[in-house]
Amino acid sequence: MGVVTVGELKTSISGKRSFRPSSTIRHAATEWPISDVSSDVTIEIEASSFALHKFPLVSRSGRIRRLLIEAKDATISRMNLSLIPGGPEAFELAAKFCYGINIEITLSNVAMLRCAAHFLEMTEEFVQKNLEARTEAYLKDTVLPNISNSISVLHRCECLSPVSEEINLVNRLINAIANNACKEQLASGLLKLDHNFPMKTMPNIEPETPSDWWGKSLSVLNLEFFQRVLTAVKSKGLKQDMISKILINYTHNSLQGLVIRDPHIVRGSLLDMELQKKQRVIVEAMVSLLPTQSRRSSVPMAFLSSLLKTAIASSASTSCRSDLERRIGLQLDQAILEDILIPANSYGNNHGTMYDTESILRIFSIFLNLDEDDDEDNRMRDESEMAYDFDSPGSPKQSSILKVSKLLDTYLAEIALDTNLLPSKFIALAELLPDHARIISDGLYRAVDIFLKVHPNIKDSERYRLCKTIDCQKLSQEACSHAAQNERLPVQMAVQVLYFEQIRLRNAMNGGHNQFFFGTINSQLPQRSSSGAGSGAISPRDNYASVRRENRELKLEVARMRMRLTDLEKDHVSMKQELVRSHPANKIFKSFTKKLSKQLNSLFRINNLKPIGSKPNAESRFLFQRRRRHSIS
């Protein structure tokens, strides 16, 4: 087999490598190999070939030396090294090193040079300061002490498997990232202490946290390496808020090109299924890396909501969706309407609902089933948090329930516009909250009215059950006026609304609104559950704290009632006149009073009594006195 003449190496790395004969190769420093001797071995790597000399290669590479020794043909002139990590580019640099040419080790090539040196067995056994030792020195001095450099080199290791794993390079880089991140976190905490305590007069300078300057760099890693890095930093004690920031940034960058679907892609096609698979893998991985579930989680609600929407759209596993639903339920009081408007995964179903109401039903149920004095949370609370829970003027639990009730009413009004929504699902959501969760039922009434307007053909039994979820005593004056004239409501509800309106009107006209007002408010006060502070199984300290909290709740409610009562007293005279003149229920009340007066007068005439409004005659006075004496005796 012929041998290629020594000459100038072409600059192309990816193309076919060969040597062009040249008689003036010594004038250029970049021309190699520099020798007047013809090459005696050709190294083939993928589509490239290198015409080189055996002596400089065997002097530094144990693998090439062994292959030449093991070859039966002593005059072998071709050798295939296609399995070398880094391919032709790595071998070219290693070959130059064998020829004594000074090569520059950088962040972009140190990983492949280290793997190539291991593959070619370029160790100290053959020559001092061989390629393996040179790359190790660069890793220890430049790469491992720096987080960003370690991430950059780790990214280069993704295409160098399995050699990068065999030499433990990947694990060393991951451990270096985790250790340096925790050191930076400790230094940042000490800097905060230094600014807050010794120098209080100086402005509080917020130091740069690790996640601000290296967390975003992790987005270049593939999913496997990112999971390993995040698992390592979590085990080393990195703060959960920093872990959340890193997760959010990586998820956003990974799903950015997958969530927004190309409208030209046919749903159900191979390309669409491939995109769904990628989404599913990323979402399930991110959920597994989320911090521990907690009501005070550092993970934003908007991020959890977007993860759940993507999980449903990509048909993620049931455990993944359940984990996200529980996390959202734990901090549901932080959500807004957009967070719970989760589209239903109804591909190819034109009669499907617009929103996934089943997930929302589970999320709200999780929130309502939370125990306020959960043992796990109590173990995690410090003294400052306990002071807030027990000594604050308002109950965090009750305020959270009120927020969630408003959120649910707004959600019901939104999904009521869906013509494909079944009444049973709407009713299940409307019946979900307890009585004390709503101070006013106007939001629920509005949602029910919208649903009845969009679904005019529902059964009477469903219509009645739906309207039964509304507490007519908690409707405002405007809502009652609207309900009294609403033809979509069942007759029973209209009568109930009129009854309570007449009671309200009568109390307002007679000046007895104080009693009615306080009675209504008292019925709205939240009731303690049997598993709460009223249980006899809790400690005396917790019982005392619970009583203090309930007293503060009552004081707050009394203060609110006093303010409202003052406003009512100021407007009492004008409201009384306005109600008599313009209240729609007043006409009905007047007609009802007239009919009742007529019936009573007819009864009085039959019994020889004077009509209502006339003075009693002697006979009626005699009968009245006789009945009175009889009743007394």
Side-chain angles (χ1 to χ4, degrees):
M1 183 177 295
V3 180
V4 180
T5 307
V6 178
E8 181 182 357
L9 182 67
K10 291 184 178 181
T11 58
S12 175
I13 294 177
S14 60
K16 181 75 175 178
R17 294 181 180 272
S18 61
F19 282 90
R20 183 176 60 195
S22 174
S23 58
T24 58
I25 62 173
R26 292 180 181 274
H27 77 279
T30 58
E31 296 172 354
W32 74 280
I34 303 173
S35 175
D36 294 332
V37 182
S38 299
S39 61
D40 53 2
V41 63
T42 300
I43 306 297
E44 297 178 345
I45 301 176
E46 297 176 359
S48 304
S49 61
F50 299 85
L52 304 172
H53 305 87
K54 294 179 182 180
F55 177 73
L57 297 179
V58 299
S59 64
R60 291 181 180 267
S61 173
R63 188 182 188 93
I64 295 178
R65 175 184 295 187
R66 188 176 70 254
L67 291 175
L68 290 174
I69 293 174
E70 293 175 355
K72 297 180 180 179
D73 187 3
T75 61
I76 182 174
S77 58
R78 287 190 176 273
M79 188 178 301
N80 191 301
L81 297 177
S82 296
L83 297 179
I84 183 172
E89 182 182 0
F91 180 78
E92 180 180 351
L93 294 174
K96 286 183 178 181
F97 184 83
C98 291
Y99 275 85
I101 299 174
N102 186 29
I103 61 173
E104 182 183 4
I105 301 178
T106 63
L107 293 175
S108 60
N109 63 23
V110 63
M112 69 177 182
L113 284 178
R114 177 65 183 86
C115 294
H118 174 77
F119 180 84
L120 295 173
E121 301 176 13
M122 300 176 69
T123 61
E124 298 293 292
E125 181 181 352
F126 303 99
V127 66
Q128 290 184 350
K129 295 183 179 181
N130 207 345
L131 184 59
E132 185 175 285
R134 289 277 304 276
T135 53
E136 277 294 332
Y138 185 85
L139 288 170
K140 292 179 181 179
D141 297 338
T142 307
V143 177
L144 296 179
N146 186 277
I147 299 180
S148 297
N149 292 346
S150 300
I151 294 174
S152 177
V153 175
L154 181 62
H155 175 52
R156 304 283 178 175
C157 291
E158 293 173 359
C159 57
L160 300 173
S161 183
V163 179
S164 59
E165 297 283 359
E166 292 175 1
I167 62 177
N168 204 32
L169 178 59
V170 173
N171 287 333
R172 289 167 61 194
L173 291 170
I174 292 175
N175 290 331
I177 294 171
N179 291 330
N180 291 329
C182 293
K183 289 179 182 178
E184 291 288 342
Q185 176 179 270
L186 180 61
S188 175
L190 293 175
L191 186 59
K192 285 182 179 180
L193 292 175
D194 186 47
H195 282 292
N196 289 338
F197 291 99
M199 298 178 290
K200 290 185 177 180
T201 57
M202 295 183 62
N204 187 15
I205 302 174
E206 185 69 19
E208 191 177 43
T209 58
S211 61
D212 291 332
W213 65 271
W214 65 265
K216 295 182 179 180
S217 303
L218 292 175
S219 60
V220 302
L221 301 178
N222 62 17
L223 185 59
E224 179 188 356
F225 280 7
F226 177 79
Q227 287 180 280
R228 293 170 64 177
V229 169
L230 212 64
T231 302
V233 296
K234 287 172 67 176
S235 64
K236 295 292 184 179
L238 192 68
K239 293 182 179 179
Q240 290 191 355
D241 58 341
M242 297 181 183
I243 294 176
S244 300
K245 292 179 182 178
I246 297 171
L247 273 173
I248 293 170
N249 181 73
Y250 186 87
T251 307
H252 175 74
N253 292 331
S254 301
L255 295 176
Q256 192 172 14
L258 299 177
V259 176
I260 303 176
R261 296 175 177 271
D262 190 341
H264 299 290
I265 297 178
V266 180
R267 287 185 174 180
S269 62
L270 292 177
L271 183 58
D272 182 66
M273 297 297 292
E274 187 66 24
L275 288 175
Q276 283 195 29
K277 182 179 179 181
K278 291 181 179 179
Q279 290 181 16
R280 181 166 59 251
V281 171
I282 293 174
V283 170
E284 291 178 353
M286 294 303 102
V287 172
S288 65
L289 295 173
L290 287 173
T292 308
Q293 293 182 2
S294 173
R295 300 184 204 177
R296 296 186 174 97
S297 175
S298 58
V299 184
M301 174 61 68
F303 178 64
L304 294 175
S305 174
S306 61
L307 276 182
L308 180 58
K309 292 174 184 177
T310 309
I312 294 175
S314 60
S315 301
S317 63
T318 304
S319 59
C320 174
R321 296 197 300 269
S322 300
D323 187 278
L324 288 172
E325 289 172 358
R326 175 158 182 81
R327 291 178 183 274
I328 295 174
L330 287 172
Q331 43 188 337
L332 187 59
D333 54 333
Q334 305 173 20
I336 59 176
L337 178 60
E338 286 74 12
D339 295 332
I340 60 175
L341 286 178
I342 301 175
N345 188 6
S346 56
Y347 292 154
N349 185 7
N350 296 328
H351 300 286
T353 57
M354 295 173 58
Y355 301 106
D356 190 344
T357 56
E358 296 294 334
S359 295
I360 299 302
L361 183 63
R362 290 191 293 268
I363 289 172
F364 276 88
S365 300
I366 289 170
F367 174 81
L368 295 173
N369 291 331
L370 292 178
D371 186 4
E372 188 176 357
D373 298 321
D374 188 80
D375 294 337
E376 182 179 357
D377 280 357
N378 283 339
R379 288 196 297 267
M380 297 174 63
R381 288 175 180 172
D382 56 18
E383 290 298 325
S384 62
E385 291 173 332
M386 292 178 67
Y388 168 77
D389 282 347
F390 292 145
D391 296 334
S392 60
S395 171
K397 180 69 174 178
Q398 177 65 9
S399 61
S400 299
I401 290 180
L402 294 178
K403 290 179 182 178
V404 170
S405 66
K406 293 180 180 178
L407 179 65
L408 179 59
D409 292 345
T410 309
Y411 177 77
L412 288 172
E414 186 69 26
I415 65 173
L417 297 170
D418 186 4
T419 57
N420 295 326
L421 180 63
L422 297 177
S424 58
K425 293 186 177 181
F426 188 89
I427 293 172
L429 286 168
E431 294 177 340
L432 192 59
L433 294 181
D435 294 337
H436 68 272
R438 291 185 179 93
I439 293 181
I440 187 169
S441 298
D442 286 14
L444 179 59
Y445 170 72
R446 176 175 174 269
V448 170
D449 186 47
I450 294 174
F451 186 85
L452 294 176
K453 185 183 299 183
V454 177
H455 304 77
N457 298 323
I458 66 172
K459 300 177 181 178
D460 292 339
S461 58
E462 294 174 336
R463 187 187 302 269
Y464 175 75
R465 184 182 172 189
L466 184 58
C467 294
K468 193 177 179 181
T469 60
I470 303 173
D471 188 351
C472 297
Q473 298 185 66
K474 296 180 181 180
L475 291 176
S476 65
Q477 181 180 343
E478 296 179 357
C480 286
S481 302
H482 186 276
Q485 306 174 35
N486 194 345
E487 298 179 353
R488 290 182 290 271
L489 301 180
V491 178
Q492 298 91 329
M493 182 177 179
V495 172
Q496 193 176 11
V497 169
L498 289 174
Y499 172 73
F500 287 114
E501 267 303 283
Q502 289 177 9
I503 294 178
R504 185 182 301 179
L505 177 62
R506 183 179 61 188
N507 282 272
M509 294 176 63
N510 295 333
H513 56 276
N514 296 4
Q515 181 180 359
F516 177 77
F517 176 74
F518 281 106
T520 305
I521 293 297
N522 290 334
S523 65
Q524 296 171 9
L525 290 178
Q527 302 295 325
R528 299 288 296 178
S529 62
S530 59
S531 60
S535 174
I538 63 176
S539 64
R541 180 192 175 194
D542 291 342
N543 193 13
Y544 172 72
S546 177
V547 170
R548 290 184 61 189
R549 180 171 53 190
E550 289 182 355
N551 288 337
R552 293 185 181 276
E553 291 177 12
L554 292 174
K555 288 180 180 179
L556 183 62
E557 291 296 335
V558 170
R560 291 174 181 170
M561 288 187 287
R562 284 175 179 172
M563 293 177 63
R564 294 185 61 183
L565 180 59
T566 303
D567 295 337
L568 285 173
E569 289 175 348
K570 290 179 180 179
D571 300 334
H572 173 59
V573 176
S574 59
M575 182 185 68
K576 185 175 180 179
Q577 295 174 354
E578 182 181 354
L579 287 172
V580 172
R581 288 196 311 267
S582 61
H583 198 283
N586 192 36
K587 298 179 180 178
I588 303 175
F589 183 70
K590 286 182 177 179
S591 61
F592 175 76
T593 305
K594 289 181 180 180
K595 292 180 180 179
L596 183 61
S597 299
K598 290 180 181 179
Q599 293 177 359
L600 290 175
N601 288 333
S602 63
L603 290 174
F604 288 153
R605 292 191 191 97
I606 295 173
N607 292 278
N608 296 323
L609 297 176
K610 280 287 185 180
I612 295 176
S614 60
K615 294 183 179 180
N617 54 17
E619 183 181 358
S620 61
R621 284 198 301 269
F622 173 75
L623 292 173
F624 174 75
Q625 290 175 0
R626 187 177 65 177
R627 290 173 185 173
R628 184 180 179 186
R629 286 195 301 270
H630 179 72
S631 61
I632 293 175
S633 61

